[in-house]
Amino acid sequence: MDANEKIIDTFATRVRQMILQYHDVVKENGELYAMVDERDAEIRRLQAEVRQLQNDYNSLKTARMLEVSDTDLDTAKRKVNKLIRDVDKCITLLSEQQ
């Protein structure tokens, strides 16, 4: 009987060890799932931030295309003034011919 009791004790010890290992694995699995959930949340947050930054960039790009700088405005004014002077000269010349 001593041999049987020893085998049973060894078996019981190994079952307890397996149960402890199982609990450790379940705990580790839960921690890993929590980490995955955190990473998924971070990925969603970063994707939303990327979308917002892309929208901001596109808005700035559009605004930059529409922006008229002071030098562009001055150049346009000078060209319009020159055209007005040319038209006035033409009108004066036509008036003198009649």
Side-chain angles (χ1 to χ4, degrees):
M1 271 284 210
D2 288 334
N4 286 340
E5 287 177 10
K6 188 175 181 179
I7 291 172
I8 291 174
D9 285 342
T10 304
F11 179 74
T13 302
R14 288 190 179 158
V15 168
R16 279 192 295 274
Q17 288 174 344
M18 287 179 61
I19 290 172
L20 291 174
Q21 286 177 344
Y22 169 78
H23 288 298
D24 289 343
V25 168
V26 167
K27 181 181 174 185
E28 182 182 7
N29 193 25
E31 291 170 356
L32 291 173
Y33 271 109
M35 286 175 56
V36 167
D37 290 342
E38 288 176 21
R39 297 291 159 88
D40 286 346
E42 180 71 8
I43 287 170
R44 283 191 298 277
R45 185 189 68 77
L46 290 172
Q47 286 173 336
E49 186 177 341
V50 165
R51 279 192 298 275
Q52 181 62 43
L53 290 172
Q54 285 174 335
N55 289 338
D56 292 348
Y57 173 74
N58 288 334
S59 296
L60 287 172
K61 199 164 66 171
T62 302
R64 180 68 181 141
M65 287 190 307
L66 296 176
E67 181 182 277
V68 177
S69 68
D70 291 337
T71 57
D72 292 341
L73 190 58
D74 289 339
T75 303
K77 283 182 182 179
R78 276 188 255 123
K79 286 181 182 179
V80 168
N81 286 336
K82 184 180 181 310
L83 288 172
I84 290 172
R85 282 192 303 274
D86 289 344
V87 168
D88 285 342
K89 286 179 186 177
C90 290
I91 290 173
T92 304
L93 286 173
L94 287 172
S95 296
E96 289 175 357
Q97 288 180 356
Q98 291 180 358

